Amino acid sequence: MSTPNAETGMRDWTDKATRDRLEKDVAAVKSDIAALTDQITDALNTFANSTSKQARRGYRQARENMDSAMDDMSERGSAMMEAAQDAYGSIEETLEEAITQRPLATVGLALGIGFLIGAAWRR
């Protein structure tokens, strides 16, 4: 038969062994949580860096597209201005030529236009 001291000693020994095992398990869990926290921090930093790089790349590309569009608009505006100046020069030459070739017809046309404007002005 077992004695009460032997039973108490056995319980203490098993409680101590259980406590030691639990302490080791808790320490292992703490270590795993710390490692997991480090991994999550690294993943978030990598994600933040990647997102930042993508944002910078997108900004750079948008700026290049805008510069290209502005260059195209500038070229088109210049071409339209040149075309308008050419048309103005052509009209000026045509009028000058018409006035020198037919001076009486030009004066008659000017008088007719003046009469129409005067008639419209009275109303």
Side-chain angles (χ1 to χ4, degrees):
M1 293 210 179
S2 12
T3 62
N5 285 338
E7 287 179 15
T8 305
M10 186 63 112
R11 262 191 250 135
D12 288 343
W13 183 78
T14 56
D15 287 344
K16 184 178 180 193
T18 303
R19 189 173 354 115
D20 289 342
R21 205 171 346 117
L22 285 175
E23 285 176 357
K24 286 179 184 177
D25 289 345
V26 168
V29 169
K30 284 182 181 180
S31 174
D32 290 346
I33 289 174
L36 186 59
T37 302
D38 290 342
Q39 288 177 352
I40 290 172
T41 302
D42 289 344
L44 288 175
N45 287 336
T46 302
F47 177 73
N49 290 337
S50 174
T51 303
S52 176
K53 286 178 185 178
Q54 287 177 348
R56 276 188 252 132
R57 193 177 316 127
Y59 172 74
R60 231 179 287 122
Q61 186 175 7
R63 187 170 181 167
E64 289 171 2
N65 290 343
M66 184 57 117
D67 289 343
S68 175
M70 291 298 289
D71 290 343
D72 289 346
M73 293 299 284
S74 177
E75 289 176 13
R76 289 180 185 177
S78 295
M80 289 176 65
M81 187 63 137
E82 287 177 17
Q85 287 175 345
D86 290 344
Y88 174 76
S90 176
I91 290 171
E92 183 181 15
E93 288 174 6
T94 303
L95 283 175
E96 191 175 307
E97 187 178 303
I99 291 171
T100 56
Q101 288 180 356
R102 300 185 189 131
L104 291 177
T106 305
V107 170
L109 183 63
L111 286 173
I113 291 174
F115 178 75
L116 289 174
I117 292 174
W121 191 271
R122 286 186 191 167
R123 293 182 182 195

